[in-house]
Amino acid sequence: MENEMRYAVLIDADNVAPKYTKNILDELSNYGIATYKRVYGDWTRTNLAGWKNMALDNAITPVQQYSYTTGKNATDSAMIIDAMDILYSNNADGFCIVSSDSDFTRLAIRLRESGKHVIGMGEKKTPKPFSTACNLFKYLEVLAEEEVQTNDSDKVEMKTLESAIIRIIAENANLEEEINIGELGSRLQGRYPDFDVRNYGYSKFSQFLKDFDCLNFRQVGSSILVSQKSKETDLQKVEGILSSIVRSGGKKGYNLGELKKQLCLKVPDFDVKTYGYSKFSRFIENLSGFKISNNNVVLKK
C-alpha cells in the first residue's frame, strides 16, 4: 500500500494481558505498519512470564525496567521516555499506546500536539481521560470477542484466513463495498507476516482467493476488485432459525447468550463479523423481527 502509516507500538505489560497480543497487532494492521514493537515490564517478576513467549513469537522487543522505588511505576516512565525519543527521531507517523493506565493521558495529548496519530488500546476499565486523549481508542475485550478457536490445524488456517479477509473487506472497502486485490493482500500480510499462498498450493494470490466461495471479483482495467458475496439468502436462513428458537421460549423470549449458543449449534460457521457487527447483541438489535428486553430476545409483534 502506498503511503502506509508507520506506527510505534508500545505495550505496558503491567496493565495488559499477553492473550491480547494478536488482537492488538491485527487491529493495528488496519491503520498501518508497526515499525516499532516494544513491551515494557520488569521481566524478573513471575507474573509477566506469559509475555516472554508472546513477545518472541510476534517479534516484539521486551524492554527491561526495574522498579527502583516501591509504589512508583517505572514501566510508565520508560514508555514515556521511549515515546518521546521516537517522536524526535521522526521515524513514526503515529503511536499505538497499549495500556489501561490513565498515566499515559498527557503523553497521548503531547504526541497529538506534535501532529502524530495516536491509537490507544486497553481494557474497559481504562479511565476516560486516557481514552478521550487518543485519536482512536480500542477496547481489547471487544477486539478479542468471538475469536475463532479450534484445534483442527488445516481448517483453522483457512477458516481464520477467511474471517480475516471478510473483516478486511468490511473495514476498508470503498462505497461499492469493494477493495483492490493488492490492498487486500497487503493488509492480510500485515496480519499474518508468514502468510504465503504457496503454502496452500497456489502460485498467485488471485488464484488462492477464488477458492473462497464467499467472494466476488470484478475486473476494472488492470485492477481486480474483491467484494463479499451477498449474504441475503444466508441472513434469511439465520433469521428463520432464530425465530424458531425464540418462539420456543414462549412469551418471555430466549436468553441472549443461550440464543447465540443454539444458533451456532445449528449454523456452525455463523459469525456476526460476516454481517458487519462485532457483537451478537448488535446483530440481533438490527434485525427487524427481534428486540432485546432484559437480556432476553423476543419477537416483535
Side-chain angles (χ1 to χ4, degrees), residues 165-173 177 179 184 215 226-227:
I165 289 168
I166 290 172
R167 187 171 182 182
I168 290 170
I169 293 173
E171 293 173 345
N172 301 279
E177 298 186 346
I179 186 173
L184 175 58
L215 302 178
V226 186
S227 61

Side-chain angles (χ1 to χ4, degrees), residues 26-296:
D26 280 357
E27 183 66 16
L28 185 67
S29 72
N30 292 319
Y31 301 94
I33 298 172
T35 52
Y36 292 85
K37 292 189 289 185
R38 298 177 182 175
V39 58
Y40 298 77
D42 184 352
W43 306 108
T44 63
R45 292 166 51 191
T46 57
N47 65 320
L48 296 186
W51 266 111
K52 294 181 180 179
N53 287 335
M54 196 61 73
L56 180 64
D57 292 344
N58 291 278
I60 302 173
T61 302
V63 179
Q64 171 65 35
Q65 185 58 52
Y66 293 104
S67 298
Y68 297 111
T69 305
T70 303
K72 299 292 184 180
N73 195 334
T75 296
D76 292 5
S77 300
M79 284 179 62
I80 292 170
I81 291 170
D82 273 10
M84 297 309 294
D85 284 345
I86 294 169
L87 171 66
Y88 293 133
S89 74
N90 205 30
N91 288 326
D93 303 305
F95 289 78
C96 180
I97 308 297
V98 187
S99 178
S100 301
D101 193 336
S102 63
D103 287 351
F104 294 105
T105 302
R106 185 69 187 95
L107 174 63
I109 293 171
R110 177 66 180 83
L111 295 173
R112 290 184 64 183
E113 287 175 345
S114 296
K116 302 301 181 182
H117 190 256
V118 180
I119 300 173
M121 296 189 192
E123 295 180 347
K124 291 183 178 180
K125 65 182 180 181
T126 303
K128 196 71 173 176
F130 176 39
S131 62
T132 55
C134 303
N135 293 96
L136 297 170
F137 195 88
K138 306 290 183 177
Y139 290 111
L140 296 173
E141 296 95 332
V142 174
L143 297 181
E145 195 170 278
E146 300 184 14
E147 275 288 310
V148 177
Q149 294 182 359
T150 171
N151 292 321
D152 188 334
S153 59
D154 291 335
K155 290 183 179 178
V156 171
E157 291 182 7
M158 293 300 286
K159 186 63 183 176
T160 300
L161 288 172
E162 181 179 22
S163 296
I165 289 168
I166 290 172
R167 187 171 182 182
I168 290 170
I169 293 173
E171 293 173 345
N172 301 279
N174 58 23
L175 293 175
E176 284 73 41
E177 298 186 346
E178 297 173 315
I179 186 173
N180 183 279
I181 194 171
E183 182 179 357
L184 175 58
S186 295
R187 292 193 180 279
L188 188 63
Q189 190 85 57
R191 294 192 178 203
Y192 303 99
D194 58 351
F195 171 75
D196 189 326
V197 294
R198 291 172 294 185
N199 294 337
Y200 303 88
Y202 297 91
S203 59
K204 294 182 178 180
F205 183 55
S206 57
Q207 294 171 334
F208 170 76
L209 288 180
K210 289 178 180 178
D211 202 34
F212 294 96
D213 295 332
C214 63
L215 302 178
N216 275 327
F217 304 88
R218 185 166 71 93
Q219 186 88 33
V220 180
S222 60
S223 300
I224 298 177
L225 299 178
V226 186
S227 61
Q228 186 184 357
K229 285 183 179 177
S230 173
K231 284 288 180 180
E232 183 178 357
T233 302
D234 288 347
L235 183 57
Q236 290 175 348
K237 174 185 174 183
V238 168
E239 284 187 284
I241 293 173
L242 286 171
S243 294
S244 177
I245 298 172
V246 172
R247 197 173 290 112
S248 70
K251 291 183 179 180
K252 68 176 183 179
Y254 212 91
N255 177 269
L256 182 65
E258 288 300 317
L259 179 61
K260 180 183 175 183
K261 290 180 182 178
Q262 291 300 317
L263 178 62
C264 289
L265 287 175
K266 295 179 182 292
V267 187
D269 61 349
F270 173 78
D271 188 338
V272 291
K273 292 174 184 174
T274 301
Y275 304 93
Y277 299 95
S278 61
K279 292 184 177 182
F280 184 64
S281 58
R282 294 288 188 193
F283 171 72
I284 293 295
E285 287 171 347
N286 283 275
L287 295 178
S288 59
F290 305 86
K291 66 178 181 179
I292 300 175
S293 177
N294 297 323
N295 209 40
N296 280 350

